[in-house]
Amino acid sequence: MIITRIPAKNENNKVRIAVYCRVSTKQEEQEDSLETQKKAYTSLISLRSDWELVEVYADNLSGLNAEKRPEFMRMINDAMEGKIDHILCKSVSRFSRNVAECKKYTDMLRNKNITVEFEEQNLKTDDPTCSFIFSLMSAIAENESRSISENVKWGQREKVKRGEYNLGNNRILGYDSIDGKLIPNKHADSIRLIYSLFLQGKNIEEIRRQLDAIGIKTKNGTPLSHNNILYILKNETYKGDKLLQKTNPKDLITKRPDPNIPFESNYLIDDHEAIISREEWDAVAKKLQANKEFEETVGHRGGQPHFLYGKVFCGECGSPMTRRTVNGSNGEKTKVWVCREKRNRKGCNGRNVKEETLLAVAKDAKTIIVTKDTIVAK
């Protein structure tokens, strides 16, 4: 069976032309600015009686991923809906600097009988020889981006080695950046309060509620979240130090930290004025580590922890027991303690025990062992 592709009919017999433009700068005087490109292509299309301009799609954002270029994606969607016959673009690199993405979209368009024409390379995707040339040009464009990215990363690494860093948009609560140096500001007292409350025994949720009640906000004016507070408690910046290059550099294509990219951190001691003393910061770090080890033993706890957490263990498998709320036979909710391994369906047949039963034997016990027949408090 022979399958013949029949292109969509165009009632006025004119080729419907779309233009895609992109620049990575907002400088109005740039020679190939968006306005310059738009005017040039509009003038070109007006000279052809067999061409009809559909629209000029223009992005003024750089970036490798098409999803981050809204006008590009709108053009692709319009083309796939049959509104476009031919696309004009200044160069392959303006269309895409990602070779895989470039081939993906041009193949999609070619399957719809839509040609993409690149002026700078004198290249059309409906040319039988285009595939190899197009792949080569796309790879060169991507390699150029990678080279620029590597040069930027090299510069950043050298700055890290010299102990230099860029504060960006200064997202560190409690500090202002003055002449490239961190200086404590009016929010420093909020940081001191957070550390003080944590060392007093308040958990992060309690601290969050207290801060919200007295109106302490982030630099963006939103209430501090659980993660905001945890980040503050872990941040070495508040004791006057600075750790540069904390995570792996981002991959050029995915824009996510790549564990395969080697990097070096640089820890600066006494880089700026501290808000929290070293002794207080170290005490908080020690307590955070203890909390982490405790949760690894008994499991995650939300809100205020029950005083029995970490004391009750299953006598059958030795795992810690955790608190649950269940519906009793009379329909009322009842607190019971259940072996963690049993909850995770890992084969333990240890029994559940009501909280009121545990409380009757708990008293000053440091450890409570629950077996099938007995409860032993030690």
Side-chain angles (χ1 to χ4, degrees), residues 187-207:
H187 300 292
D189 285 337
S190 299
I191 302 300
R192 296 186 185 100
L193 177 60
I194 290 171
Y195 275 74
S196 176
L197 291 173
F198 188 73
L199 289 176
Q200 289 173 24
K202 302 288 186 181
N203 62 40
I204 293 179
E205 181 59 24
E206 290 175 319
I207 296 173

Side-chain angles (χ1 to χ4, degrees), residues 80-111:
M80 300 306 289
E81 290 175 3
K83 301 177 182 178
I84 297 169
D85 301 318
H86 196 98
I87 296 174
L88 299 178
C89 187
K90 183 173 182 179
S91 66
V92 173
S93 62
R94 295 301 168 93
F95 192 80
S96 176
R97 293 201 297 258
N98 179 334
V99 62
E101 181 183 86
C102 202
K103 288 185 63 62
K104 168 187 171 183
Y105 287 107
T106 53
D107 286 347
M108 284 172 55
L109 294 168
R110 188 164 54 249
N111 288 335

Side-chain angles (χ1 to χ4, degrees), residues 73-170:
M73 293 307 301
R74 189 166 70 86
M75 177 186 70
I76 295 297
N77 291 334
D78 286 350
M80 300 306 289
E81 290 175 3
K83 301 177 182 178
I84 297 169
D85 301 318
H86 196 98
I87 296 174
L88 299 178
C89 187
K90 183 173 182 179
S91 66
V92 173
S93 62
R94 295 301 168 93
F95 192 80
S96 176
R97 293 201 297 258
N98 179 334
V99 62
E101 181 183 86
C102 202
K103 288 185 63 62
K104 168 187 171 183
Y105 287 107
T106 53
D107 286 347
M108 284 172 55
L109 294 168
R110 188 164 54 249
N111 288 335
K112 287 283 188 178
N113 287 323
I114 301 167
T115 300
V116 183
E117 182 176 347
F118 301 103
E119 175 192 355
E120 202 169 271
Q121 289 81 24
N122 192 26
L123 183 66
K124 296 182 181 180
T125 56
D126 62 352
D127 189 321
T129 65
C130 172
S131 182
F132 171 74
I133 299 174
F134 180 66
S135 296
L136 180 61
M137 296 301 301
S138 296
I140 292 172
E142 181 179 343
N143 188 63
E144 180 184 359
S145 285
R146 191 175 296 278
S147 177
I148 293 171
S149 176
E150 289 302 320
N151 288 337
V152 170
K153 288 176 183 177
W154 180 86
Q156 292 173 339
R157 288 196 297 270
E158 291 303 306
K159 284 186 176 181
V160 168
K161 290 178 182 178
R162 295 193 300 267
E164 300 174 8
Y165 55 88
N166 184 1
L167 294 172
N169 59 1
N170 188 26

Side-chain angles (χ1 to χ4, degrees), residues 188-243:
D189 285 337
S190 299
I191 302 300
R192 296 186 185 100
L193 177 60
I194 290 171
Y195 275 74
S196 176
L197 291 173
F198 188 73
L199 289 176
Q200 289 173 24
K202 302 288 186 181
N203 62 40
I204 293 179
E205 181 59 24
E206 290 175 319
I207 296 173
R208 186 196 66 77
R209 288 197 295 264
Q210 186 165 338
L211 295 178
D212 191 38
I214 60 180
I216 293 178
K217 309 286 186 182
T218 66
K219 292 180 74 69
N220 295 327
T222 58
L224 281 134
S225 67
H226 181 284
N227 287 339
N228 290 148
I229 296 170
L230 185 60
Y231 174 80
I232 289 171
L233 291 172
K234 290 181 175 181
N235 196 337
E236 78 288 340
T237 302
Y238 295 113
K239 64 174 176 176
D241 297 349
K242 196 69 180 171
L243 177 61

Side-chain angles (χ1 to χ4, degrees), residues 285-296:
K286 184 176 180 180
K287 188 172 181 181
L288 286 171
Q289 181 61 30
N291 288 350
K292 179 182 178 181
E293 292 173 356
F294 185 76
E295 288 198 358
E296 287 176 352

